[in-house]
């Protein structure tokens, strides 16, 4: 018994001392820029992050000195905190440790819980995003807490109204889309332990405010997605994003609002791709080997109703949801260009000569509608 306890103690000491030591040695070695693996690139393509954009990846960040942000003075505490964050982020074997911890808690709780700071285990094998480090926490929107203030709503509305006026002066139609968080659409799969104070999320709040106080067309396709989810899986089980069926439903809600036309899922064709797709949430939680359960669908643009076709050039300025949304749009517009808001440049109006601009943000990023992305260079 004593020998066993001794060996357990030795093994534990090796575990807690060797990993940090290896991390320190590795961090002292020259670092090279890490490229995405083929597997990681495939994830970005499949979940919509890179899909649908003809020129995705062409606008790389500038590396010259003038393009870099001005350095800010850091306190000794901030410098120490940054060093600790870097050390923990680069911890040797970190991914495997996360996977082991998540897998163990899932096993011990019968698959009803996983230990993760970023991923929440829902019902029916559905994973949700609970991080507080990437936009507004989606769980807060589901709970109905931390709403926009009146001043924030006024600022967002003012920016979008000004953008609409500016683009219309150039002969360009302007519309806004806000894609609902997965938690809002699939509320029935959220854990019972997450209390809901109000059903009014920031997306609902903003959509109602824009409708009541502006003439900007603001499409928040929550109702359409909730209605059609009985007919098909619209968001990935293991990913933060909707799939292409969900993107189709969202764009049809847009077409109904803007053009008065609407098609059903059964009216078009989707090609079935991989049936063992692993989404971003499964990778974040370290459960890629256990949650390879999603199906990938690809919208066949040739099946789009010609009556819905518009002989126009569309510039879709949207986040990672914009990949699939713009891919669907290619069945309905003469020409479609997708640009991420962070990469948008005012010269793109001249480059693409759009007839229509759609400005999209996922609900967890909808506070960023306040930023004058589309006219900042003009002002």
């Amino acid at each position: 018994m004593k020998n066993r306890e001794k060996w357990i103690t030795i093994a534990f000491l090796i575990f807690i001392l060797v990993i940090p030591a290896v991390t320190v040695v590795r961090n002292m070695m020259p670092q090279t820029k890490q490229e995405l693996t083929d597997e990681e690139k495939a994830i970005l393509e499949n979940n919509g992050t890179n899909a649908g954009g003809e020129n995705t990846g062409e606008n790389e960040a500038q590396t010259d000195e003038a393009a870099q942000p001005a350095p800010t003075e850091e306190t000794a505490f901030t410098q120490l905190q940054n060093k600790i964050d870097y050390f923990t982020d680069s911890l040797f074997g970190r991914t495997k440790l996360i996977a082991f911890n998540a897998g163990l808690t899932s096993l011990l709780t019968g698959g009803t819980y996983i230990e993760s700071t970023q991923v929440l285990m829902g019902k029916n094998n559905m994973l949700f995003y609970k991080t507080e480090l990437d936009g507004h926490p989606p769980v807060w929107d589901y709970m109905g807490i931390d709403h926009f203030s009146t001043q924030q709503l006024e600022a967002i509305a003012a920016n979008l109204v000004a953008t609409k006026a500016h683009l219309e002066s150039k002969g360009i139609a302007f519309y806004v889309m806000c894609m609902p968080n997965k938690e809002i659409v699939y509320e029935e799969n959220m854990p019972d332990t997450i209390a809901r104070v109000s059903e009014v999320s920031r997306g609902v709040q903003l959509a109602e405010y824009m409708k009541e106080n502006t003439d900007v067309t603001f499409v928040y396709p929550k109702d359409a997605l909730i209605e059609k989810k009985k007919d098909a899986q619209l968001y990935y089980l293991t990913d933060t994003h909707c799939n292409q069926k969900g993107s189709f439903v969202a764009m049809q809600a847009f077409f109904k609002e803007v053009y008065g036309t609407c098609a059903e899922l059964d009216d078009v064709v989707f090609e079935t791709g991989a049936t063992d797709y692993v989404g971003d949430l499964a990778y974040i939680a370290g459960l890629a080997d256990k949650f390879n359960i999603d199906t990938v669908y690809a919208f066949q643009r040739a099946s789009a109703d010609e009556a819905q076709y518009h002989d126009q050039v569309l510039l879709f300025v949207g986040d990672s949801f914009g990949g699939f949304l713009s891919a669907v749009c290619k069945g309905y517009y003469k020409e479609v260009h997708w640009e991420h808001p962070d990469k948008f440049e005012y010269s793109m109006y001249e480059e693409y000569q759009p007839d229509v601009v759609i400005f999209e943000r996922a609900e967890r990023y909808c506070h960023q509608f306040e930023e004058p992305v589309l006219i900042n260079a003009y002002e």
Side-chain angles (χ1 to χ4, degrees):
M1 179 66 69
K2 290 183 178 180
N3 286 336
R4 187 180 68 176
E5 293 177 352
K6 180 178 70 174
W7 285 113
I8 290 175
T9 303
I10 293 173
F12 177 73
L13 289 173
I14 291 174
F15 180 78
I16 64 173
L17 294 176
V18 170
I19 290 178
V22 173
T23 302
V24 170
V25 173
R26 189 179 62 173
N27 289 346
M28 292 174 62
M29 298 174 65
Q31 300 294 312
T32 57
K33 181 181 178 181
Q34 295 184 349
E35 300 293 338
L36 292 177
T37 65
D38 291 340
E39 184 180 48
E40 289 168 334
K41 290 178 181 177
I43 292 170
L44 297 179
E45 292 292 342
N46 284 328
N47 72 11
T49 304
N50 285 344
E54 294 177 355
N55 55 343
T56 301
E58 291 181 3
N59 299 325
E60 295 295 334
Q62 296 179 4
T63 56
D64 58 278
E65 185 175 342
Q68 301 302 316
T72 56
E73 185 175 349
E74 295 182 339
T75 64
F77 176 78
T78 301
Q79 292 175 351
L80 176 61
Q81 187 176 41
N82 289 338
K83 289 179 180 178
I84 293 174
D85 290 341
Y86 174 74
F87 180 82
T88 55
D89 288 341
S90 60
L91 193 66
F92 178 73
R94 180 175 180 271
T95 302
K96 289 183 173 59
L97 291 172
I98 290 173
F100 174 77
N101 189 40
L104 181 61
T105 54
S106 177
L107 177 65
L108 294 176
T109 59
T112 60
Y113 178 77
I114 56 174
E115 182 65 35
S116 173
T117 59
Q118 300 186 71
V119 181
L120 183 68
M121 183 71 198
K123 301 173 184 176
N124 300 314
N125 285 327
M126 184 166 279
L127 304 180
F128 294 99
Y129 202 26
K130 69 175 184 179
T131 183
E132 297 182 15
L133 304 175
D134 183 15
H136 187 267
V139 173
W140 292 6
D141 274 323
Y142 169 78
M143 295 173 67
I145 60 177
D146 194 34
H147 290 133
F148 284 122
S149 67
T150 300
Q151 291 76 16
Q152 288 174 311
L153 291 170
E154 290 173 347
I156 291 173
N159 178 51
L160 296 178
V161 167
T163 302
K164 180 177 186 288
H166 174 63
L167 291 183
E168 286 185 346
S169 72
K170 298 168 67 70
I172 302 172
F174 175 69
Y175 308 106
V176 183
M177 285 190 73
C178 177
M179 285 299 293
N181 294 330
K182 182 179 176 181
E183 292 78 1
I184 302 300
V185 177
Y186 284 95
E187 57 181 340
E188 69 277 8
N189 286 332
M190 286 290 287
D192 295 332
T193 53
I194 307 297
R196 200 168 195 186
V197 177
S198 169
E199 294 187 3
V200 178
S201 65
R202 294 192 317 158
V204 171
Q205 185 188 16
L206 183 55
E208 291 177 352
Y209 185 88
M210 293 297 297
K211 182 177 181 179
E212 294 172 2
N213 296 277
T214 76
D215 63 349
V216 175
T217 299
F218 188 98
V219 180
Y220 176 66
K222 168 192 167 186
D223 293 340
L225 289 163
I226 290 177
E227 178 187 353
K228 299 302 180 183
K229 69 181 178 182
K230 67 181 184 297
D231 301 325
Q233 185 73 43
L234 303 181
Y235 281 66
Y236 288 116
L237 293 169
T238 66
D239 202 283
T240 54
H241 299 80
C242 59
N243 57 29
Q244 289 208 21
K245 287 189 176 183
S247 299
F248 175 85
V249 170
M251 287 313 308
Q252 289 300 324
F254 171 87
F255 295 149
K256 184 176 182 179
E257 176 78 15
V258 175
Y259 304 116
T261 65
C262 187
E264 302 294 332
L265 282 165
D266 291 340
D267 296 334
V268 295
V269 177
F270 292 89
E271 181 181 343
T272 301
T275 58
D276 58 352
Y277 169 66
V278 181
D280 52 13
L281 293 176
Y283 273 96
I284 291 172
L287 296 171
D289 59 332
K290 296 180 178 63
F291 277 79
N292 52 341
I293 57 177
D294 267 313
T295 299
V296 175
Y297 300 102
F299 171 62
Q300 302 300 294
R301 70 183 73 168
S303 65
D305 186 355
E306 293 183 0
Q308 288 190 287
Y309 177 76
H310 300 279
D311 191 31
Q312 295 176 310
V313 176
L314 168 65
L315 173 56
F316 196 106
V317 183
D319 51 37
S320 56
F321 279 80
F324 279 176
L325 292 168
S326 61
V328 170
C329 287
K330 289 182 179 180
Y332 299 95
Y333 290 90
K334 176 178 66 176
E335 192 176 314
V336 176
H337 302 276
W338 167 44
E339 294 289 347
H340 194 282
D342 294 344
K343 302 285 183 144
F344 177 80
E345 296 179 1
Y346 193 77
S347 60
M348 291 173 181
Y349 292 132
E350 183 67 28
E351 179 182 356
Y352 298 135
Q353 296 289 308
D355 303 294
V356 179
V357 169
I358 298 176
F359 187 23
E360 177 270 333
R361 280 296 198 181
E363 184 166 0
R364 70 176 184 267
Y365 299 129
C366 66
H367 56 280
Q368 295 176 354
F369 279 130
E370 182 181 348
E371 301 170 6
V373 174
L374 305 183
I375 57 174
N376 56 351
Y378 169 76
E379 295 181 335

